[in-house]
Amino acid sequence: MVALLVAGGVTSGLAAVLKPYAVLPLLAERRWGALVVAMAACAATLLALPWGTFVGDLPYISDRLQFQSFASNAFGNIPLMLIAAAALLSMGIRRALWLATPVLWPNTQVHYAAMTLPVITPLLATCWALDFPNAMVVGVVLAAISHRLRGDDPLVVRGVRGPNR
């Protein structure tokens, strides 16, 4: 999924077919063609995949994901979600969309952070690598503070080329 996501082009939309949360970075990079490919591919699966079975098993799937989740993000805690969202947005919408999944997505698992490699800072990576409560939120807040102290341009994401950059 990460390889597809960072490869660019319209085929990067297939990342969102594999993992729906990949839509956020595609939005961040304004990859409209990739999003169209993702929607078309998802629509095509309606004919080929047993979605009725998935929907029927959704309670079991949700329980398993909850059991396996890395309970260090803000999801489900409204004050933490607001703090995390404010910290994310203070770094600019592009970074916010790239970083939102491990911080705000339900039932986050550790590997969700891998998709943030194009925008993650050493400070943020260090926080996320440590095992302590709310590490994802603490990391984003510290990254936002560091971002403001350094005076980074919130529209520039190092290593990621946007359509007009």
Side-chain angles (χ1 to χ4, degrees), residues 17 41-54:
V17 176
C42 285
T45 69
L46 292 174
L47 303 172
L49 297 178
W51 283 106
T53 303
F54 175 78

Side-chain angles (χ1 to χ4, degrees), residues 74-141:
F75 185 79
N77 183 325
I78 300 299
L80 277 183
M81 288 178 76
L82 292 173
I83 290 167
L88 287 167
L89 289 173
S90 76
M91 292 186 280
I93 193 69
R94 286 181 74 202
R95 276 193 180 102
L97 288 169
W98 274 96
L99 298 172
T101 297
V103 180
L104 298 172
W105 198 264
N107 300 322
T108 298
Q109 298 181 21
V110 175
H111 66 274
Y112 288 21
M115 67 181 286
T116 67
L117 287 175
V119 298
I120 198 166
T121 64
L123 172 64
L124 189 52
T126 301
C127 287
W128 288 4
L130 300 175
D131 184 20
F132 62 90
N134 303 310
M136 297 291 184
V137 178
V138 170
V140 165
V141 169

Side-chain angles (χ1 to χ4, degrees), residues 20-78:
Y21 52 78
V23 165
L24 298 176
L26 293 174
L27 287 171
E29 297 305 314
R30 298 183 210 131
R31 293 187 195 160
W32 311 124
L35 289 166
V36 169
V37 166
M39 289 186 287
C42 285
T45 69
L46 292 174
L47 303 172
L49 297 178
W51 283 106
T53 303
F54 175 78
V55 172
D57 289 343
L58 202 50
Y60 172 75
I61 294 167
S62 295
D63 287 344
R64 292 304 304 161
L65 286 173
Q66 178 64 34
F67 176 75
Q68 297 170 358
S69 71
F70 179 63
S72 187
N73 75 348
F75 185 79
N77 183 325
I78 300 299

Side-chain angles (χ1 to χ4, degrees), residues 136-156:
M136 297 291 184
V137 178
V138 170
V140 165
V141 169
L142 290 176
I145 292 168
S146 172
H147 174 80
R148 285 292 166 209
L149 290 175
R150 287 192 328 262
D152 289 347
D153 179 353
L155 298 177
V156 175

